[in-house]
Amino acid sequence: MAANTSRSPITPLNSGIHNPTSNRNRFFSLRPIKSRRNFHFHASSSSSGRSSNDNKAQAIDLQKLVQDSPYEFNSRDSLPSLPRPLTSAQLSHLAAEGPRLRVAYQGVRGAYSESAAEKAYPNCEAVPCEQFDTAFQAVERWLVDRAVLPIENSLGGSIHRNYDLLLRHRLHIVGEVKIAVRHCLLANPGIKIENLTRVLSHPQALAQCEDTLTKLGLVREAVDDTAGAAKHVAFHELKDAGAVASLTAAKIYGLDVLAQDIQDDTDNVTRFLMLAREPIIPGTDKPFKTSIVFSLEEGPGMLFKALAVFAMRNINLTKIESRPLPKRTLQTSDDNSIGFPKCFPYLFYVDFEASMADERAQNALGHLKEFATFIRVLGGYPADNGLP
């Protein structure tokens, strides 16, 4: 029930993303992007829809990953000339020249995602999008240069929607940034805490402030994002409702701050991914992380075997997330299954601390390729090891 009663100074991108070759005030409908159903060991073409010749991708030659091109394709000679992948040095240079970059984020002005975009790319033009899908599509259609989207929170866990979208879309992870989340209870000027009967915010924000909101006896109502809740309360001049959002959102929408730092745990950090059309060439000059997704045949010890390829090479895993493999179910059953599938196929998303320029990482993925039914490198990027 996100409110759209007034348009922010920067028009949010929505399902009617406009054509970059036409007047920016004109819009057209964007067809949904269908999920790719063929699962092979491959890396995506970073210019989705540019050529019909790259429908079938060959296996990655891990030894050539950091040479001329990071990927090997069928009919490579027939592909159009594509932009060269960015190096980590070029990425840093572009970040310093932020005004040249348009960076998409989900939400409205004052969202934590906007702060993450500005931290990742200082002085950028942050472009709000109504949905996560819209931000992915905006990058693919060359309407923006980057997207900065949340992937996990230290209290609320993983943002499952964005894991699924990483597989569906053909973008590359080129960085990460962490933001400390400090929630405030906001209300219209003159409204006191005792006047409130309900509070609006994103479901994760409400969960992160559960103890405080329970003590106040407030009914929780979920909306699309925290800043959107603040905007709704302000524009409708609600007297009985407050919002859980950032201090920045309070300033933007003219709300009073009734309480600060109302999250149940002070260690509340959200990790965001920086996405681009082109990958960056992995380096060894700084700590790098690599994100992959793979699937396995069903059987005893298969996941143990997959994770062992990293352990035996002393590669540290920082994240593992399982998600159901879409559009597919193993239909095997036995007498005790009562018609239900015996098991579900899963995809495993893994982040590990190594660059693909590191021979250990190349050998680990080469080993994993021997028994994985599908594997894809989502991106290699500099790790954010600083304070949020």
Side-chain angles (χ1 to χ4, degrees):
M1 51 179 280
N4 290 308
T5 57
S6 178
R7 184 168 294 177
S8 61
I10 300 177
T11 304
L13 293 174
N14 50 35
S15 59
I17 295 181
H18 61 278
N19 189 334
T21 62
S22 65
N23 186 296
R24 286 188 179 272
N25 294 322
R26 300 182 63 185
F27 294 82
F28 66 90
S29 297
L30 197 62
R31 294 181 181 177
I33 295 179
K34 296 181 180 179
S35 302
R36 188 179 295 268
R37 298 184 182 180
N38 296 326
F39 294 93
H40 305 287
F41 180 72
H42 71 282
S44 65
S45 170
S46 55
S47 298
S48 178
R50 281 185 160 190
S51 170
S52 60
N53 296 324
D54 57 346
N55 291 332
K56 295 182 179 180
Q58 292 180 344
I60 294 177
D61 184 344
L62 294 172
Q63 300 301 326
K64 295 182 179 179
L65 189 68
V66 294
Q67 294 180 9
D68 293 343
S69 172
Y71 308 123
E72 293 288 329
F73 295 94
N74 285 338
S75 305
R76 178 175 179 177
D77 293 337
S78 63
L79 289 174
S81 177
L82 300 178
R84 295 289 299 172
L86 298 174
T87 66
S88 56
Q90 289 171 327
L91 190 68
S92 299
H93 180 65
L94 286 174
E97 298 182 0
R100 289 175 38 176
L101 294 180
R102 287 169 54 83
V103 181
Y105 68 92
Q106 188 275 328
V108 299
R109 289 200 60 216
Y112 293 105
S113 292
E114 182 184 34
S115 298
E118 292 172 346
K119 181 179 179 181
Y121 300 103
N123 301 316
C124 69
E125 179 186 353
V127 180
C129 300
E130 289 185 347
Q131 304 294 335
F132 292 131
D133 310 55
T134 312
F136 275 86
Q137 294 178 49
V139 180
E140 288 179 326
R141 301 303 174 96
W142 298 76
L143 303 177
V144 297
D145 304 292
R146 302 284 188 276
V148 174
L149 299 170
I151 196 65
E152 61 177 326
N153 176 267
S154 59
L155 300 182
S158 299
I159 314 297
H160 294 137
R161 178 62 177 164
N162 283 337
Y163 273 104
D164 295 340
L165 290 173
L166 282 172
L167 184 66
R168 180 180 303 176
H169 293 275
R170 320 306 295 171
L171 300 182
H172 303 269
I173 305 172
V174 296
E176 64 176 359
V177 62
K178 299 173 184 176
I179 291 288
V181 177
R182 303 179 61 182
H183 292 306
C184 300
L185 179 59
L186 312 179
N188 281 298
I191 303 299
K192 306 299 182 183
I193 290 182
E194 51 267 26
N195 302 136
L196 301 180
T197 60
R198 56 197 179 103
V199 62
L200 285 65
S201 196
H202 187 276
Q204 279 214 358
L206 294 173
Q208 292 162 16
C209 304
E210 183 175 1
D211 290 346
T212 301
L213 299 178
T214 299
K215 290 177 183 177
L216 294 175
L218 298 177
V219 175
R220 280 149 274 188
E221 297 182 12
V223 296
D224 285 343
D225 62 273
T226 56
K231 180 179 178 180
H232 182 83
V233 169
F235 279 62
H236 285 82
E237 299 181 351
L238 300 180
K239 306 298 183 183
D240 66 331
V244 173
S246 66
L247 190 60
T248 301
K251 296 176 181 177
I252 291 174
Y253 300 110
L255 298 177
D256 284 350
V257 179
L258 303 184
Q260 294 190 47
D261 294 329
I262 65 171
Q263 61 273 5
D264 298 336
D265 194 322
T266 56
D267 185 18
N268 187 13
V269 177
T270 298
R271 174 176 169 246
F272 294 79
L273 297 180
M274 298 140 70
L275 305 174
R277 290 178 293 273
E278 301 291 337
I280 62 173
I281 297 176
T284 56
D285 56 328
K286 61 181 71 174
F288 260 72
K289 291 172 72 173
T290 301
S291 296
I292 64 172
V293 56
F294 60 88
S295 62
L296 302 166
E297 293 287 354
E298 178 65 23
M302 289 301 294
L303 181 58
F304 173 83
K305 184 178 178 181
L307 300 182
V309 306
F310 301 100
M312 65 192 300
R313 293 171 176 88
N314 200 32
I315 296 176
N316 183 45
L317 303 184
T318 60
K319 174 75 174 177
I320 179 169
E321 181 76 26
S322 62
R323 297 290 298 148
L325 196 157
K327 303 295 183 183
R328 210 175 133 195
T329 303
L330 299 180
Q331 298 297 330
T332 58
S333 60
D334 55 30
D335 294 338
N336 298 321
S337 65
I338 319 179
F340 288 97
K342 184 176 181 180
C343 56
F344 295 93
Y346 282 91
L347 292 167
F348 299 96
Y349 292 81
V350 168
D351 298 340
F352 59 86
E353 291 180 328
S355 167
M356 285 306 297
D358 187 335
E359 187 176 358
R360 296 177 306 150
Q362 297 176 19
N363 291 337
L365 290 198
H367 191 174
L368 181 60
K369 176 194 170 185
E370 294 176 3
F371 53 89
T373 57
F374 159 79
I375 183 170
R376 176 175 158 194
V377 179
L378 298 171
Y381 48 93
D384 181 8
N385 295 323
L387 296 175

